[in-house]
């Protein structure tokens, strides 16, 4: 005799734990993101809105300094993400080895992450002063003329990028250390028995097995570089001229000037730029991971 199973309904109780986060996400991210796609098509202020179609985007790409900000954003993101990835891996390999003062060195590497970005920007602005800065004073003491780190249009963006790497490499090191610790020592023992050198161990064992950490570091560093604003604003305000302007600083300047529609269009462009880079990159990495 067949027994009739009672229909069980899932309790909505777990959803109550999800609702607060969903409400906050909707109010502070989802709704502003959706409405920005409307406001980027308008000329608006705090009281009136006038639909102008794609004029804001035409103006954005017709202004040389706005396009320069877009190019600077890409350069800044590539420099910071690549430097963080390479340096973090090397430092993580060092800090997971048997070295003296390993715990102290780990704290030193991670410490800049805990410091306020604005504080770091102001500090390095003083250190990089062309005449009174400590860095140029030290270079002068050994007979090297110090450059204008933040006053030379050819160096300003790269100077801020170096500070960004110093400030953020600690997080990347932490991610890599977690990946390195998870690698079984059996692989290294077997390779030593086979006569592998340290370089061969690094190239054939460490690098492939730490690939998930590398993907995470590259993705997070690229996102951070593309949306970077606070450090650049604290150190150069986009100057000298527009030499170190990125999309985020350009957007802020447009808001300050009262061009709200144009600045909203810049936000949408930045959102699309990040999406066009990160989503295909994540898809590529995930496919490679599956194929392996």
């Amino acid at each position: 005799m067949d027994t009739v199973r009672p229909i069980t309904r899932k309790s909505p109780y777990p959803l109550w734990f999800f609702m607060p986060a969903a409400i906050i996400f909707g109010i502070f991210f989802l709704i502003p993101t959706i409405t920005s796609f409307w406001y980027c098509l308008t000329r608006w202020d705090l009281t009136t809105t006038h639909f102008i179609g794609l004029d804001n985007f035409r103006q954005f790409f017709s202004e040389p300094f706005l396009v320069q900000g877009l190019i600077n954003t890409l350069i800044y993101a590539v420099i910071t993400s690549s430097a963080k990835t390479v340096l973090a891996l090397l430092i993580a390999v060092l800090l997971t080895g048997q070295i003296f003062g390993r715990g102290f060195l780990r704290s030193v590497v991670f410490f800049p992450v805990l410091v306020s970005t604005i504080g770091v920007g102001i500090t390095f602005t003083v250190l990089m002063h062309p005449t009174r800065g400590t860095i140029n004073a030290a270079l002068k003491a050994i007979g090297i003329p110090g450059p204008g780190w933040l006053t030379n249009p050819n160096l300003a963006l790269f100077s801020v990028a170096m500070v960004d790497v110093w400030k953020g490499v600690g997080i990347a090191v932490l991610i890599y250390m977690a990946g390195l610790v998870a690698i079984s020592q059996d692989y290294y023992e077997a390779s030593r028995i086979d006569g592998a050198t340290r370089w061969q161990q690094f190239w054939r064992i460490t690098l492939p097995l730490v690939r998930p950490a590398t993907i995470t570091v590259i993705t997070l560093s690229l996102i951070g570089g593309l949306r970077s604003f606070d450090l650049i604003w604290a150190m150069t305000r986009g100057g000298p001229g527009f030499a170190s302007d990125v999309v985020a600083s350009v957007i802020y300047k447009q808001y300050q000037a009262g061009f709200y529609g144009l600045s909203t269009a810049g936000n949408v462009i930045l959102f699309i730029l990040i999406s066009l880079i990160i989503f295909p990159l994540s898809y590529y990495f995930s496919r490679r991971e599956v194929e392996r």
Side-chain angles (χ1 to χ4, degrees):
M1 182 177 178
D2 294 336
T3 58
V4 179
R5 294 183 179 180
I7 299 175
T8 58
R9 295 181 178 179
K10 291 184 178 180
S11 171
Y13 176 72
L15 294 177
W16 291 106
F17 295 96
F18 169 75
M19 288 303 294
I23 292 172
I24 294 173
F25 179 79
I27 292 175
F28 292 103
F29 178 79
L30 197 58
I31 294 176
T33 300
I34 294 172
T35 55
S36 66
F37 280 94
W38 159 251
Y39 282 110
C40 72
L41 303 175
T42 65
R43 182 179 292 112
W44 63 279
D45 53 31
L46 299 179
T47 57
T48 60
T49 302
H50 178 63
F51 181 79
I52 59 172
L54 298 176
D55 286 353
N56 286 324
F57 293 95
R58 295 191 189 97
Q59 183 177 353
F60 189 97
F61 288 107
S62 64
E63 296 286 349
F65 70 93
L66 297 178
V67 177
Q68 183 62 44
L70 188 62
I71 295 172
N72 288 345
T73 301
L74 294 173
I75 294 173
Y76 188 88
V78 170
I79 291 174
T80 54
S81 61
S82 57
K84 286 177 185 178
T85 302
V86 175
L87 285 176
L89 177 58
L90 297 178
I91 295 172
V93 170
L94 176 66
L95 295 182
T96 51
Q98 300 299 323
I99 61 171
F100 177 75
R102 183 174 60 179
F104 173 73
L105 292 175
R106 288 178 177 179
S107 301
V108 170
V109 170
F110 191 74
F111 175 75
V113 178
L114 306 177
V115 182
S116 165
T117 303
I118 301 299
V120 169
I122 294 173
T123 301
F124 272 91
T125 302
V126 175
L127 293 175
M128 291 179 169
H129 192 278
T131 57
R132 301 189 299 273
T134 306
I135 296 176
N136 280 359
L139 292 175
K140 185 178 180 181
I142 59 176
I144 301 175
W149 299 102
L150 303 177
T151 57
N152 186 337
N154 297 320
L155 288 178
L157 185 67
F158 299 100
S159 299
V160 179
M162 286 192 299
V163 178
D164 191 308
V165 172
W166 176 86
K167 170 80 169 64
V169 74
I171 289 289
V173 170
L174 189 65
I175 295 171
Y176 267 124
M177 286 176 60
L180 290 170
V181 170
I183 299 175
S184 174
Q185 293 299 312
D186 294 340
Y187 296 113
Y188 296 102
E189 292 290 342
S191 66
R192 277 194 289 269
I193 293 173
D194 291 337
T197 63
R198 287 187 176 274
W199 170 250
Q200 289 173 328
Q201 288 178 340
F202 175 79
W203 189 255
R204 300 293 184 180
I205 299 174
T206 303
L207 208 56
L209 294 181
V210 85
R211 180 183 175 84
T214 302
I215 294 172
T216 303
V217 170
I218 291 175
T219 304
L220 293 179
S221 299
L222 265 178
I223 294 174
L226 290 169
R227 56 188 292 272
S228 182
F229 167 74
D230 44 4
L231 185 63
I232 293 173
W233 192 256
M235 294 185 68
T236 64
R237 294 224 178 2
F242 305 107
S244 62
D245 254 333
V246 291
V247 173
S249 62
V250 168
I251 291 169
Y252 184 72
K253 289 179 179 179
Q254 298 305 313
Y255 270 119
Q256 283 185 319
F259 299 110
Y260 302 126
L262 184 61
S263 57
T264 308
N267 273 315
V268 172
I269 291 171
L270 182 59
F271 176 80
I272 294 173
L273 176 65
I274 294 175
S275 301
L276 289 177
I277 293 176
I278 298 302
F279 286 123
L281 190 65
S282 300
Y283 177 74
Y284 169 76
F285 283 143
S286 62
R287 281 196 62 184
R288 288 290 300 273
E289 197 67 25
V290 171
E291 290 172 0
R292 291 172 67 89

